[in-house]
Amino acid sequence: METSGSGSSSEREPLAGLVERVTFHNADNGFCVLRIKARGHRDLVTVLGAAPSIAAGEYIQASGMWENHREHGLQFRATFLRVTAPTSAEGMEKYLGSGLIKGIGPTFAQRLVSAFSETVFEVIEHAPQRLLEVEGIGPKRARRITASWADQKVIREIMAFLQGHGVSTSRAVRIFKTYGADAIPLVSENPYRLARDIMGKSDCSQIAKAPAICELIFATVFNEVVHLLTDSICIYKYCAQRISLAACESRTSALLQSLRPAA
């Protein structure tokens, strides 16, 4: 795809708006092409970005650069893209009718919004038994709806967590695809597992610059070093009681020497 960029990374611009249509979405890597109704733009804007899931009716906040494609014209390439649930009845109906939530299509989306208006999301999440009040929704369909809703909520929470820790949108999608619903506890518990499971050295050097990730890494490494030193001191004292102090120091020095990285 040939494009001509409109500026450097220092010239990134913000863009926000309602997703009118998802033209393309790759479920494997999150790449998506969206048509959005953006603030300050009369016509729909084409946005290229990444998201683990995206549907019409959702609201996006993005930053990136404008580029002029030879075939497709002016479009916005987002380096950061955050998706939030719609808040208007119109947006909610479009979102529910997109097919992202299993068990709901355009017909049931219209019925749900007609029945519950702008409280429809609260009903699905906190009072799912009320779904049975809508014509055509039985216990089985209601369970499908609530289960799918819960899955999408997990995705939103994971993306918010990762992006809140300075992780770029494309990397956040890769992390979610690798760890799934366990992304938050796994990354929180052992953030430098990212180097082993997902990212190369260059990627790790970039993500390590995120202050919040650095704090997590430091806390984890510090705790492990403390445990290691505590164990080492206990072993040292045990050995010193049974062999001469000189022999203990000699063996400790040899052990430390063996642990040093090769030049």
Side-chain angles (χ1 to χ4, degrees):
M1 180 176 74
E2 291 188 37
T3 60
S4 59
S6 60
S8 66
S9 59
S10 63
E11 298 174 339
R12 289 176 185 158
E13 297 181 25
L15 185 72
L18 183 72
V19 178
E20 287 288 333
R21 184 170 71 250
V22 179
T23 304
F24 175 80
H25 181 252
N26 185 321
D28 293 330
N29 59 24
F31 175 73
C32 57
V33 180
L34 313 173
R35 295 283 284 169
I36 74 164
K37 185 186 293 183
R39 297 171 183 169
H41 295 267
R42 184 178 61 183
D43 300 325
L44 294 181
V45 174
T46 299
V47 175
L48 285 66
S53 68
I54 186 79
E58 289 187 300
Y59 187 82
I60 67 164
Q61 292 176 301
S63 64
M65 294 178 289
W66 293 97
E67 58 184 30
N68 199 6
H69 191 278
R70 177 178 297 179
E71 297 179 9
H72 305 296
L74 190 65
Q75 54 192 16
F76 188 85
R77 184 173 293 276
T79 54
F80 171 87
L81 193 151
R82 175 170 290 170
V83 182
T84 57
T87 55
S88 67
E90 178 187 0
M92 290 176 173
E93 182 175 336
K94 190 168 292 187
Y95 172 74
L96 292 174
S98 68
L100 190 65
I101 305 298
K102 294 180 177 63
I104 304 178
T107 300
F108 282 112
Q110 185 178 31
R111 292 179 187 177
L112 284 164
V113 174
S114 296
F116 306 117
S117 189
E118 294 177 357
T119 66
V120 62
F121 289 173
E122 294 179 18
V123 169
I124 295 173
E125 186 165 348
H126 301 295
Q129 68 279 2
R130 293 197 60 195
L131 295 175
L132 302 176
E133 299 174 14
V134 177
E135 181 185 356
I137 295 182
K140 184 176 180 180
R141 184 181 293 273
R143 285 193 295 269
R144 287 183 65 199
I145 292 171
T146 53
S148 183
W149 177 266
D151 290 342
Q152 292 302 316
K153 182 182 179 183
V154 168
I155 293 174
R156 287 195 295 270
E157 289 175 346
I158 290 172
M159 292 300 292
F161 168 80
L162 294 171
Q163 292 175 328
H165 282 76
V167 182
S168 70
T169 302
S170 58
R171 290 190 180 120
V173 172
R174 288 168 60 191
I175 293 170
F176 170 75
K177 291 297 180 181
T178 301
Y179 300 134
D182 296 325
I184 292 178
L186 287 175
V187 173
S188 298
E189 176 188 353
N190 185 8
Y192 50 87
R193 71 167 58 242
L194 297 174
R196 181 190 66 209
D197 298 340
I198 298 175
M199 301 175 181
K201 291 182 179 179
S202 60
D203 286 334
C204 285
S205 65
Q206 290 297 317
I207 197 171
K209 294 177 182 177
I213 290 292
C214 287
E215 290 176 9
L216 287 173
I217 292 174
F218 178 81
T220 305
V221 173
F222 181 80
N223 288 335
E224 291 192 6
V225 169
V226 168
H227 288 309
L228 178 61
L229 290 175
T230 302
D231 291 342
S232 298
I233 291 170
C234 292
I235 294 171
Y236 187 91
K237 288 181 178 178
Y238 178 85
C239 292
Q241 291 173 358
R242 284 158 178 76
I243 60 177
S244 69
L245 184 61
C248 187
E249 290 178 344
S250 176
R251 294 181 186 183
T252 302
S253 177
L255 176 60
L256 292 175
Q257 185 68 30
S258 69
L259 293 176
R260 288 177 182 171

